[in-house]
Amino acid sequence: QVQLVESGGGLVQAGGSLRLSCAVSGSMFSINVIGWYRQAPGKQRELVAQINSLARTNYVDSVKGRFTISRDNTKNTAYLEMNSLKPEDTAVYYCNVRGKQHYYELENDYWGQGTQVTVSS
């Protein structure tokens, strides 16, 4: 059974930094794309950043230059480095992994439980 565990969320002041981690536990044959999503109150969940198996990344415009997504394939862990945080970054952040548990399967999406990030002004 595959499980994603996010950590690193918390309360920070505007301008501060946080580093989120997404650890993939259980057996995973391959991981293709890892993404970080967030959902603020009253808003739909949005893609914040994603990184593919070749380390190609993309970001939503609002976080470009401030957030950095990375992955450590040896640890099956992804990170989201968040700098210069703003109150509008306040949301629940979710990790999403697209990959295979077995070589013979199609890729599936796996979601973490979410971690709260609150930025005060």
Side-chain angles (χ1 to χ4, degrees), residues 22-113:
C22 174
V24 181
S25 63
S27 61
M28 198 75 178
F29 175 74
S30 64
I31 298 175
N32 186 357
V33 182
I34 303 175
W36 284 97
Y37 294 74
R38 68 185 180 188
Q39 187 165 21
K43 297 183 178 180
Q44 291 188 330
R45 187 174 299 185
E46 68 171 346
L47 176 64
V48 178
Q50 64 179 193
I51 182 169
N52 70 7
S53 60
L54 299 178
R56 181 173 296 180
T57 62
N58 64 273
Y59 303 87
V60 67
D61 287 341
S62 60
V63 308
K64 288 182 178 178
R66 300 188 298 119
F67 290 11
T68 302
I69 187 171
S70 61
R71 62 192 290 177
D72 186 340
N73 294 327
T74 64
K75 299 180 179 180
N76 280 350
T77 302
Y79 306 93
L80 184 66
E81 191 80 39
M82 304 185 294
N83 300 311
S84 301
L85 283 163
K86 304 175 181 179
E88 49 263 45
D89 295 319
T90 296
V92 177
Y93 284 71
Y94 299 89
C95 180
N96 173 266
V97 169
R98 182 175 300 161
K100 297 181 177 182
Q101 288 187 269
H102 308 283
Y103 76 93
Y104 53 82
E105 294 180 343
L106 296 176
E107 291 184 334
N108 290 308
D109 287 329
Y110 303 88
W111 289 91
Q113 195 71 21

